[in-house]
Amino acid sequence: MTHVAQELAGQPECWTRAASEAAQHRAALPTPGERVAIVGCGTSYFMAQAAAALRESAGQGETDAFAASEFPAGRAYDRVVALTRSGTTTEVLDLLGALRGRTRTTAVTADPGTPVMAAADDVVVLDYADERSVVQTRFATTALTLLRAHLGLHTDAAVADARAALAAELPQGLVECTQFTFLGRGWTVGLANEAALKMREASLSWTEAYPAMEYRHGPISVTTRNTATWMFGEAPRGLAGQVRQTGGMWIEGHLDPLAELVRAQRLAVAVAAAHGLDPDRPRHLTRSVILAP
């Protein structure tokens, strides 16, 4: 079994622990009313998108998400939260350094032996969710679970759904598709973006992601009999039927959206195996992006 397959299978236990320990990290995480930005790179950026949408929709305060390299330097925030599994990513460390003394910062990381420990004002370490694989799975979803629990939005049902996502067979014919599209609404747009990234990284698949209604404004035109369109959360009325009319496969998300992401992770590994690829060695990728000075 690959590292990524083993690691994604451990997510229910990681989520349970993150949720149980969320109260211990309350002082390091945003308080209601704070103006907050959540940043990251790659997978962590997409988790930031999901977390920001959740926090703002919960009435906790204005919350933005940015790729760390695209943070608007002139915009004021009460706190910036950086998600970084490795704790060594250049763009994250540069941003934290630029914010020191001006804006309170929190880093959520998996490795306590890295430079981010000194770069941020507050640090939350999820070392039990660290990974050997390049392709992120359990750290990303565990970090998002921590933030969901901090907002009071995590339930035991999400963990149960994650177990179901690991146990159930993937829909028949899904692995054989040659094009994949993931759709979301609100906080699940970030999950759709992450599902697409997993497919690209692990299986080199042609994969796209959109807010659900934006899919109808053009991208649906490339849907064919070999396309799978996967909805995270509740679909806009009529969209499923429109996709089916193209001849493409429609996948309805019936589980907690974060558990649906677990299913998509499994799909990425399955498609990689079907194509003879090793998802532990994704093409052109490294576990952390560290730029030379």
Side-chain angles (χ1 to χ4, degrees), residues 26-140:
R26 185 178 295 116
L29 297 174
T31 60
E34 283 188 329
R35 190 167 190 248
V36 173
I38 309 177
V39 302
C41 301
T43 288
S44 292
Y45 170 43
F46 298 141
M47 295 298 101
Q49 290 179 332
L54 278 173
R55 184 176 186 269
E56 192 156 313
S57 65
Q60 292 282 305
E62 185 175 331
T63 315
D64 297 320
F66 300 102
S69 60
E70 299 300 317
F71 183 82
R75 194 174 297 182
Y77 291 96
D78 298 310
R79 183 182 296 270
V80 172
V81 178
L83 307 181
T84 170
R85 176 182 65 171
S86 69
T88 60
T89 304
T90 297
E91 301 102 292
V92 171
L93 294 176
D94 285 351
L95 176 59
L96 293 174
L99 294 174
R100 179 168 289 280
R102 297 194 295 115
T103 304
R104 192 77 185 175
T105 59
T106 296
V108 181
T109 187
D111 191 343
T114 57
V116 78
M117 299 296 292
D121 296 311
D122 300 298
V123 182
V124 177
V125 178
L126 306 177
D127 50 356
Y128 55 88
D130 201 359
E131 299 158 323
R132 294 180 63 184
S133 58
V134 172
V135 175
Q136 278 200 59
T137 55
R138 71 183 181 195
F139 173 77

Side-chain angles (χ1 to χ4, degrees), residues 18 34 59 97 107 127 146 161 183 282:
E34 283 188 329
D127 50 356
L146 172 75
D161 280 357
L183 307 178

